Amino acid sequence: MDNAITHTMKDGYHVYQVGGDVDFYDLFTRFRDGSLAGKQLTNAARERDVYLLEDGGRRFVLKWDHGGWGFGGEGRLERFFWRFVRGPYYSRLLRRVDRAWHNGCHAMQRVFMVAERRTAHYPHEAVVLLEYIEGREIGAEWPDYTEGVATCIQSLHANGLAVCDVNEHNFLVTADGIRAIDLVCRGNPRLDRMKDVVRAKRIFGIELPVRGVLDTLVHRGLTLFQDYRSRYVARKRARRELTREKKFRGGR
């Protein structure tokens, strides 16, 4: 089997596919044309549709990102800025995940195909075909899986990957152990890794090692920022509750 990643132009998309005997872009076109059924899955992002596809007994997850030309499709200036500066990121993620997979790191969800529509350097639409993983979210049972989550994150970091949104929904319990889903590849790799370290501590109480002067500085900066943000959110919530209580008392 050829493991090389191919890059072609199809229907105005830059199409990247991992090597093998499956034309993953054909799955997308058949789904888009209505000849392949898909079940829509719940998703928090307004700019993205997520579907479960099944073809020949094999399941896939399809993410269709309609970011457009706005601020990331959600009115967020930082997303527009990063898309404009960093350029296509899903194709970078595919390369990194494929390289890590063939290096023996199987702690993440595989990426099989990315189709990006872009103007110059700016990606404004992306289709991502991912591996469907049989498993369940760790959810409220996360205290039983902290060791597995820590091992998973460290394996990803050792292979140049990061979750960047560590929470109980982005780790699945599978027959092969804990695996991460919904990885990102948008920002600086060092910053993404340190985001994982900070959130692993805050969400799961997991202490991950921080090595090197630069990692230590970034980690401390992120920790201070998160502390400030938590206090700001708490004060904002308290003011909102106080205003609601005053309105309630005044209306009686």
Side-chain angles (χ1 to χ4, degrees):
M1 179 182 294
D2 183 9
N3 293 323
I5 295 173
T6 62
H7 175 206
T8 56
M9 287 294 300
K10 297 182 179 182
D11 306 323
Y13 290 100
H14 289 265
V15 179
Y16 303 84
Q17 299 191 70
V18 300
D21 54 358
V22 178
D23 184 353
F24 296 106
Y25 185 76
D26 178 64
L27 292 177
F28 164 62
T29 57
R30 286 192 284 129
F31 167 73
R32 182 186 59 189
D33 298 340
S35 58
L36 179 65
K39 176 184 177 182
Q40 188 162 14
L41 304 177
T42 57
N43 177 60
R46 291 183 301 170
E47 64 177 4
R48 179 181 302 142
D49 294 318
V50 182
Y51 301 91
L52 175 63
L53 307 184
E54 185 168 356
D55 181 68
R58 191 176 181 185
R59 291 181 172 183
F60 303 90
V61 175
L62 178 77
K63 293 184 178 181
W64 199 339
D65 192 334
H66 308 279
W69 282 93
F71 294 151
E74 297 179 345
R76 295 176 59 176
L77 179 60
E78 70 273 17
R79 289 198 174 188
F80 175 83
F81 174 78
W82 277 115
R83 285 186 177 187
F84 186 81
V85 173
R86 299 285 293 179
Y89 48 88
Y90 284 121
S91 50
R92 289 200 304 273
L93 179 63
L94 182 147
R95 291 190 185 96
R96 291 185 183 181
V97 168
D98 191 62
R99 182 167 58 246
W101 184 269
H102 292 297
N103 285 339
C105 174
H106 299 166
M108 66 290 179
Q109 184 180 33
R110 292 197 70 185
V111 185
F112 295 123
M113 186 275 294
V114 171
E116 293 172 327
R117 195 189 298 273
R118 56 186 188 247
T119 301
H121 194 58
Y122 185 87
H124 49 84
E125 182 185 353
V127 180
V128 187
L129 193 71
L130 301 149
E131 172 190 14
Y132 174 79
I133 301 176
E134 289 285 353
R136 57 182 174 82
E137 297 179 356
I138 60 173
E141 299 178 7
W142 65 262
D144 298 330
Y145 299 104
T146 53
E147 183 177 348
V149 170
T151 300
C152 177
I153 294 175
Q154 289 178 290
S155 178
L156 293 174
H157 288 185
N159 286 273
L161 297 169
V163 182
C164 218
D165 187 15
V166 173
N167 61 62
E168 62 274 20
H169 304 296
N170 281 345
F171 295 92
L172 300 182
V173 182
T174 76
D176 300 319
I178 302 297
R179 295 181 65 185
I181 59 174
D182 204 20
L183 303 187
V184 300
C185 186
R186 290 176 179 156
N188 180 276
R190 187 186 305 276
L191 181 61
D192 290 343
R193 290 197 306 270
M194 291 305 102
K195 284 181 181 179
D196 283 357
V197 173
V198 172
R199 284 189 61 85
K201 172 64 176 176
R202 290 180 176 272
I203 303 298
F204 299 127
I206 297 173
E207 293 278 3
L208 295 174
V210 179
R211 301 183 179 91
V213 176
L214 287 178
D215 279 2
T216 300
L217 291 174
V218 173
H219 178 262
R220 288 180 178 177
L222 284 172
T223 301
L224 290 173
F225 173 75
Q226 289 293 337
D227 288 343
Y228 169 79
R229 185 179 180 183
S230 296
R231 291 194 297 269
Y232 172 78
V233 171
R235 289 196 299 268
K236 188 176 181 180
R237 184 180 296 114
R239 288 196 297 268
R240 187 164 57 245
E241 291 296 328
L242 181 60
T243 301
R244 186 179 295 117
E245 184 178 350
K246 287 181 178 180
K247 289 182 177 179
F248 176 75
R249 288 179 177 178
R252 287 195 303 180

